Amino acid sequence: MTGILPGATIGILGGGQLGRMTAMAARSLGYRIQVMDPDPSCPARFVVDACFEGGWDDARVAADLARGCDVVTLEIEQISIACLKAAAKYAPVRPGAGAMRIIQDRILQKNWLGDHGAPIGAWRAVESEAELADAVSALGDKCFVKSARGGYDGRSQVKIGFGDATSAAEAWRLLGGKPCVAEQALDLEKEISVMVARAPNGETKSFASALNHHENQILDWSVIPSSIKPDLEARAQQIATGIAAGLEIEGLLAVEMFVTKGGELLVNELAPRPHNSYHASERACVTSQFEQAVRAVCDLPLGDVSVVQPAAIANLLGDLWLGKDGEAREPRLDRALAIPGVGLHLYEKHKPRKGRKMGHLSAVGKTPDEAVQRVLTAKELL
Ligand SMILES: Nc1ncnc2c1ncn2[C@@H]1O[C@H](COP(=O)(O)OP(=O)(O)OP(=O)(O)O)[C@@H](O)[C@H]1O
Ligand SMILES: [Mg+2]
């Protein structure tokens, strides 16, 4: 038995909601947990043994965290390589710096995907305003421009050619004049994701795909299973597990994918950590993504990923806590919770802001559609 057994201490780089829910699963299994986050009252703070205050590139604090840990994992891909290397002096870091270096830079990530035969949409790496202008015309004038580094929930992205007259020059300026990728805007039929867990011993299990609906480039709701056709599901699984094996992931890898109106299946991006689109795994699957993350990074046998019942989640953004003029309001959580089958997660974030993920509702149903309808009905009542 080579695994890191319950009773040991897990370190998590990042203490947001993903770190918090991973910590809660780790606690159930009997682990001790400490996190590193720039915010001393981050969401994980309230469920862990210790919180180290440090930014994503604070290698000294990452080393301090790792010194007291048996294994270190992460919940955000912006953690600097220097932090990962500093932590690795004291404890295994999973996923490791090799995979993280590729994933945290959109240019390296897309080149890696292309080189390894994963299907991706048309794109260009861009390092100047002139290159961006060229890329936009080469890609057909309608583009998503995304910073190579940083950015989540649609931040650090600018759309070009969608009616509002954003020029390449303006987009370059809005993104801070830093390297970025220009992607052809695809005509999407739907979006799915596949979560893969891979243990250091090579054991791999992937969950049934999730179907994801975005509003303004932020995940709005998600459901497991996705109900896509079996041949598409098989291809999605093959692509996702192939990428996890190629990157030698230790831990979780979420693979976001587009299904285009033309029937193509294309990889959007990778996330080496628990993913918002698998929050419903807590209710849909025998093993949740959070428990699976703990099992994978501790090199324990991976849990059963079978779907027990369809389940959906709907994100609750800070907007719900803000009235029309920005004044505070309380969403009617009691009304949502009165619907049979509806559950609630709140992340204990103290300041609601527009677009900030504060929590999510979940619902089960006899079918994926029913689960989605139920969770959306509950959200309407807030
Ligand atoms: N090339 C594209 N064509 C069409 N839609 C796109 C494209 N790129 C992004 N989108 C839309 O914007 C959403 C967010 O894009 P992306 O996943 O790249 O951003 P992100 O900021 O990393 O988001 P998150 O952190 O929520 O995953 C996608 O899920 C999709 O709905
Ligand atoms: Mg995304």
Side-chain angles (χ1 to χ4, degrees):
M1 181 82 208
T2 56
I4 295 160
L5 298 176
T9 301
I10 301 174
I12 308 177
L13 295 164
Q17 64 265 24
L18 302 176
R20 172 188 169 95
M21 289 184 274
T22 305
M24 286 160 103
R27 279 244 100 87
S28 295
L29 284 161
Y31 289 94
R32 300 172 65 84
I33 307 103
Q34 34 193 45
V35 298
M36 178 182 98
D37 198 275
D39 175 5
S41 54
C42 61
R45 174 72 192 95
F46 312 101
V47 299
V48 298
D49 298 287
C51 183
F52 290 67
E53 191 177 336
W56 307 144
D57 55 0
D58 199 331
R60 193 181 45 81
V61 180
D64 286 345
L65 173 92
R67 228 176 249 126
C69 292
D70 298 284
V71 62
V72 171
T73 186
L74 50 97
E75 59 118 48
I76 179 160
E77 51 273 33
Q78 275 85 35
I79 299 288
S80 72
I81 299 300
C83 276
L84 301 178
K85 288 192 169 156
K89 290 200 180 118
Y90 301 99
V93 175
R94 299 172 176 159
M100 292 299 296
R101 195 183 60 84
I102 294 166
I103 292 173
Q104 67 185 203
D105 184 305
R106 286 189 194 271
I107 299 174
L108 293 180
Q109 187 187 126
K110 283 184 185 292
N111 278 326
W112 189 93
L113 289 168
D115 291 346
H116 289 76
I120 51 175
W123 73 285
R124 290 272 191 100
V126 164
E127 303 211 343
S128 68
E129 187 187 315
E131 278 180 20
L132 181 56
D134 280 354
V136 172
S137 54
L139 294 168
D141 293 331
K142 223 172 156 190
C143 285
F144 282 74
V145 189
K146 307 177 182 176
S147 291
R149 305 180 73 89
Y152 61 96
D153 290 345
R155 293 168 214 190
S156 302
Q157 296 197 10
V158 179
K159 294 198 275 187
I160 295 185
F162 282 79
D164 42 355
T166 311
S167 65
E170 211 176 331
W172 179 251
R173 194 171 31 78
L174 285 169
L175 293 175
K178 295 199 199 90
C180 53
V181 298
E183 297 179 16
Q184 185 169 66
L186 301 160
D187 221 351
L188 303 183
E189 166 81 37
K190 50 180 75 151
E191 295 188 59
I192 61 167
S193 48
V194 174
M195 176 60 79
V196 184
R198 188 172 174 280
N201 67 36
E203 186 192 8
T204 301
K205 282 194 176 166
S206 59
F207 290 79
S209 67
L211 175 71
N212 307 322
H213 176 78
H214 292 77
E215 293 280 348
N216 303 319
Q217 288 140 275
I218 303 181
L219 187 71
D220 183 31
W221 57 260
S222 179
V223 64
I224 301 171
S226 69
S227 320
I228 56 172
K229 296 217 172 72
D231 60 325
L232 195 60
E233 178 73 24
R235 254 196 298 144
Q237 293 290 334
Q238 195 187 15
I239 291 169
T241 51
I243 295 170
L247 285 169
E248 297 180 30
I249 289 291
E250 296 179 339
L252 298 184
L253 181 74
V255 182
E256 297 180 16
M257 299 187 215
F258 296 136
V259 182
T260 68
K261 293 220 166 103
E264 276 183 303
L265 182 62
L266 303 171
V267 174
N268 172 25
E269 58 167 352
L270 309 177
R273 51 165 172 82
H275 193 265
N276 195 172
S277 65
Y278 275 84
H279 289 356
S281 63
E282 284 195 323
R283 309 197 62 193
C285 305
V286 176
T287 307
S288 75
Q289 64 165 342
F290 304 110
E291 179 179 338
Q292 198 73 312
V294 174
R295 287 177 180 241
V297 302
C298 291
D299 209 12
L300 298 178
L302 296 179
D304 182 355
V305 290
S306 308
V307 174
V308 184
Q309 60 186 346
I313 63 102
N315 278 334
L316 304 180
L317 301 184
D319 313 50
L320 280 164
W321 277 260
L322 301 170
K324 272 195 213 74
D325 302 314
E327 76 282 7
R329 75 175 282 271
E330 277 306 315
R332 292 296 305 268
L333 298 169
D334 54 329
R335 289 195 202 152
L337 288 171
I339 299 183
V342 168
L344 172 69
H345 267 281
L346 287 180
Y347 310 144
E348 293 188 83
K349 293 186 184 175
H350 301 297
K351 273 218 173 67
R353 284 196 298 268
K354 268 177 91 63
R356 186 179 201 200
K357 291 174 182 167
M358 303 294 287
H360 65 268
L361 289 171
S362 64
V364 294
K366 284 200 249 350
T367 62
D369 271 353
E370 187 180 80
V372 172
Q373 285 322 313
R374 218 175 244 171
V375 85
L376 293 181
T377 303
K379 190 173 167 181
E380 283 282 293
L381 297 176
L382 296 176

